[in-house]
Amino acid sequence: MAKFSILDLVFINEGNTPKDALANSVKVAKAAENLGYHRIWVAEHHNFPAIASAATSVVIGHLAENTKTIRIGAGGIMLPNHSPLVIAEQFGTLESLYPGRIDLGLGRAPGTDQLTLRALRRDSMSAQTFPEDVKELLAYFEDDANQLQVRAIPGMGTHVPVWILGSSLFGAQLAAILGLPYAFASHFAPGALMEAISIYRKQFRPSVYLDKPYVMVGVNVIAADTDKEAKYLFTSSQQSFTRILRNARGTFPAPIDDIDTFWSPQEKQMASQMLSYSVVGAPDTIKAGITKILEETKADELMTVTSVYDTDAKIKSLEILAKLGF
């Protein structure tokens, strides 16, 4: 049976502050734990007015401190923005504070624009060394890291679980070669999903980390009492993706009654394609949609993304999904 988890983008709602967003994420994490979700991840984004998780490891620590059992992790850390040693130290510290609960998902994209990348003091070509940086990071978590002249302290011997994240074939191939679990970002870039997971499964090499392939698939899930209400809540995401297309990003918008008054036909086509891996509706609609995705992908785990303006409505959506009993 597939596991169900949550990617929380820590949205800053219109009229709210980052402090409000972080408080809302704690509420969501506590609810997710009580509902039996397997893990909750937050993602590294810089210079995004709507997202409060730029200091990703700090947010993970805050969520872990306010929960007891649910796994907390990064979905992901954009490794080209960082030294592998620093990330090993950060997540080694988190694992030391919250043993057995920390995950580290790694992405190759910068998670921001080129101007912000320069502000991060990173080389725009640093993504080219992603495979070598992942291997270096893995070494810092091993027991025999004493053989290294440079060690991650904390970090050494913590064996923090590392995931490869991706939305293309590159990540699938790297995860397969290294024998690591693979998470596909189909919640916003579903185009190569089926090919990527096929390549990952076919090319997978058993490792000290994993003896067989493990696939996580991202899917937007918004559940409500009725299809109409869920579609209304979904308009916040639709507006947000349209703003990205317009390069007019802002805080996360409230839902609107008629999304067709907001976007042009071309914007609708583009944003809808990005959001095509979405299940939105009443419980029966959600059950049918999730069942179809699990049959298509044979995923070991679904990473659900519930981008809803109202936190109580978001928690209700999580409750509906949990009660369906997949």
Side-chain angles (χ1 to χ4, degrees):
M1 188 169 76
K3 295 176 181 176
F4 281 71
S5 297
I6 296 167
L7 174 63
D8 185 358
L9 293 172
V10 197
F11 277 128
I12 305 169
N13 290 337
E14 287 178 345
N16 283 2
T17 66
K19 181 179 180 180
D20 298 322
L22 292 164
N24 288 338
S25 285
V26 169
K27 288 178 65 176
V28 169
K30 288 181 175 180
E33 182 171 75
N34 291 334
L35 291 167
Y37 284 87
H38 186 57
R39 67 182 101 236
I40 185 165
W41 283 359
V42 296
E44 177 186 353
H45 292 280
H46 299 282
N47 198 26
F48 274 70
I51 296 178
S53 54
T56 313
S57 59
V58 178
V59 177
I60 290 169
H62 183 58
L63 295 180
E65 181 65 24
N66 283 279
T67 53
K68 296 178 181 178
T69 57
I70 192 170
R71 297 193 66 85
I72 311 284
I77 290 291
M78 301 299 106
L79 193 55
N81 296 341
H82 308 278
S83 151
L85 175 62
V86 170
I87 296 303
E89 291 169 340
Q90 290 177 4
F91 280 78
T93 300
L94 287 167
E95 176 63 24
S96 299
L97 290 169
Y98 310 103
R101 296 181 57 202
I102 302 300
D103 298 323
L104 174 54
L106 300 174
R108 184 170 63 117
T112 190
D113 56 82
Q114 290 299 310
L115 186 63
T116 306
L117 188 63
R118 287 196 292 273
L120 289 166
R121 300 298 190 267
R122 301 301 292 170
D123 184 343
S124 62
M125 300 300 292
S126 56
Q128 301 299 318
T129 60
F130 181 67
E132 291 74 21
D133 290 345
V134 172
K135 292 176 184 177
E136 179 183 341
L137 179 51
L138 289 167
Y140 288 131
F141 289 139
E142 295 305 312
D143 290 324
D144 62 353
N146 282 306
Q147 299 176 15
L148 302 175
Q149 290 184 312
V150 178
R151 292 173 286 163
I153 305 172
M156 181 179 61
T158 55
H159 302 283
V160 174
V162 172
W163 294 66
I164 299 297
L165 315 184
S167 58
S168 68
L169 306 185
F170 180 91
Q173 293 168 328
L174 180 62
I177 290 169
L178 297 179
L180 295 173
Y182 179 56
F184 193 91
S186 35
H187 59 288
F188 73 89
L193 170 64
M194 298 309 295
E195 186 178 4
I197 59 179
S198 175
I199 286 173
Y200 169 67
R201 287 173 173 143
K202 288 178 181 177
Q203 298 184 5
F204 181 84
R205 301 176 185 174
S207 69
V208 296
Y209 313 108
L210 204 61
D211 60 357
K212 61 182 180 178
Y214 191 98
V215 172
M216 177 191 286
V217 171
V219 57
N220 300 292
V221 179
I222 297 180
D225 290 330
T226 65
D227 285 351
K228 182 179 179 180
E229 182 184 357
K231 289 176 181 177
Y232 170 72
L233 296 174
F234 189 43
T235 62
S236 292
S237 287
Q238 292 170 320
Q239 292 176 78
S240 181
F241 273 74
T242 303
R243 287 178 176 179
I244 291 172
L245 295 173
R246 295 174 181 174
N247 197 26
R249 297 169 183 173
T251 48
F252 193 66
I256 56 177
D257 290 324
D258 186 0
I259 187 63
D260 285 329
T261 64
F262 181 80
W263 55 18
S264 70
Q266 183 181 17
E267 290 170 338
K268 178 179 181 178
Q269 180 182 11
M270 295 173 69
S272 296
Q273 174 58 34
M274 296 168 73
L275 289 167
S276 61
Y277 234 64
S278 300
V279 183
V280 178
D284 287 347
T285 304
I286 298 296
K287 189 173 184 65
I290 294 295
T291 299
K292 183 173 183 289
I293 288 171
L294 290 174
E295 289 175 350
E296 287 176 348
T297 64
K298 304 293 190 295
D300 299 287
E301 187 168 344
L302 288 190
M303 179 60 76
T304 65
V305 186
T306 304
S307 299
V308 170
Y309 182 84
D310 181 80
T311 302
D312 290 337
K314 179 174 183 174
I315 291 172
K316 183 175 181 179
S317 177
L318 298 177
E319 290 172 348
I320 291 172
L321 179 59
K323 288 176 182 177
L324 291 176
F326 286 98

